[in-house]
Amino acid sequence: MEKINDFNEAKNLLEKYLDKKISINKLKKNYFIDDIKFIKEELEKVYLFKDKTKSDILFWLIFTFDLYSEEFINILCKISKEEWHWRHEDIAIYFMEMELPSTVECLYELAISDFKKYRDDEYCQLVEKCCYALGAIGTEEAKEKLKLLAKSDKDIIREHVEDTFEMYKLS
C-alpha cells in the first residue's frame, strides 16, 4: 500500500478516479492516508485562501478514506460559515457521522445560515442534513436547537424536525 502524503498526489489520484482509470476499490486497496495533521493543515489553507478546488479534493479524501477526527471540528466549523464553497452539506454529514456534542452550535448556525445558493432549495436539504446531525447527537442542547428550527415559517423545515424527532426517537 502506498501512503498519500502530498496534496498534488491526492489531486492526481482524484483525476485518475474521475477519468475512470482507477476504481474506488482499487484506490482503497492500493492507497491509504492516515496523516490527520496533513489534512488539518490543508483544511486551514483552504479556509485562509478560500480555495474551492482544494476543498473539493480534501472532502473527497476525507470521505473516501473515512478520515474522521475531532482535530477537524474547529476548522470545519469555520469553513461551514463561509459561502464561497459548496461543501456545507458535506460538513453537516461529517458532523452527523461524528455525533459530537461540540458541533451542535455549529450545526444550528449552519441550519439557519442564509447562503444564496440554498435560498431556492424548496426541500431545504442543508437544513435537513443539519437536523439529522443534531438528531444523531441527541443531547438536550441538540434537541433545543431542533425545537428552535421547528419554529420556522417553512412547512418543510418543520417536517424535517418532526422526522428527526421520530427517526432518532427523541422526546
Side-chain angles (χ1 to χ4, degrees):
M1 272 188 119
E2 188 176 332
K3 182 175 182 175
I4 303 169
N5 58 6
D6 174 83
F7 183 78
N8 287 325
E9 183 180 359
K11 182 179 176 187
N12 291 336
L13 281 174
L14 175 59
E15 288 170 357
K16 283 183 182 179
Y17 170 70
L18 293 174
D19 290 340
K20 299 186 188 315
K21 293 179 181 174
I22 188 169
S23 70
I24 198 74
N25 291 335
K26 196 170 196 174
L27 184 71
K28 287 183 173 186
K29 184 178 178 183
N30 295 326
Y31 297 91
F32 75 98
I33 184 165
D34 63 357
D35 190 348
I36 298 301
K37 183 179 176 191
F38 161 67
I39 298 293
K40 183 179 177 190
E41 288 172 356
E42 293 299 321
L43 285 168
E44 288 169 350
K45 290 177 191 174
V46 159
Y47 174 73
L48 185 64
F49 297 108
K50 298 182 181 352
D51 191 332
K52 183 182 177 302
T53 302
K54 190 177 251 191
S55 76
D56 292 342
I57 294 166
L58 287 171
F59 275 93
W60 175 76
L61 277 177
I62 287 168
F63 284 113
T64 299
F65 292 99
D66 299 320
L67 301 174
Y68 292 93
S69 172
E70 289 187 49
E71 294 290 319
F72 301 154
I73 300 305
N74 289 337
I75 189 61
L76 289 177
C77 278
K78 287 181 182 179
I79 292 171
S80 76
K81 293 174 176 61
E82 298 290 322
E83 190 160 5
W84 52 263
H85 63 89
W86 292 89
R87 295 298 170 183
H88 301 96
E89 292 178 55
D90 289 333
I91 292 170
I93 290 168
Y94 188 85
F95 289 168
M96 181 172 59
E97 295 290 327
M98 294 289 291
E99 296 183 17
L100 296 173
S102 62
T103 62
V104 167
E105 188 62 35
C106 184
L107 282 162
Y108 177 71
E109 289 176 18
L110 188 55
I112 63 170
S113 64
D114 189 31
F115 297 127
K116 184 178 180 183
K117 65 183 156 254
Y118 292 107
R119 287 183 192 150
D120 295 328
D121 178 6
E122 64 185 88
Y123 299 107
C124 299
Q125 293 177 23
L126 175 59
V127 177
E128 178 183 38
K129 287 173 180 66
C130 291
C131 286
Y132 291 162
L134 290 165
I137 295 166
T139 62
E140 287 303 316
E141 182 186 10
K143 289 189 273 188
E144 288 303 315
K145 296 300 184 186
L146 285 165
K147 289 174 185 173
L148 289 174
L149 291 172
K151 294 178 181 178
S152 172
D153 58 346
K154 293 184 178 180
D155 290 340
I156 189 70
I157 292 176
R158 291 192 305 273
E159 288 174 27
H160 290 325
V161 173
E162 185 178 311
D163 290 346
T164 301
F165 271 91
E166 286 177 27
M167 181 185 314
Y168 291 99
K169 297 178 179 24
L170 303 173
S171 55

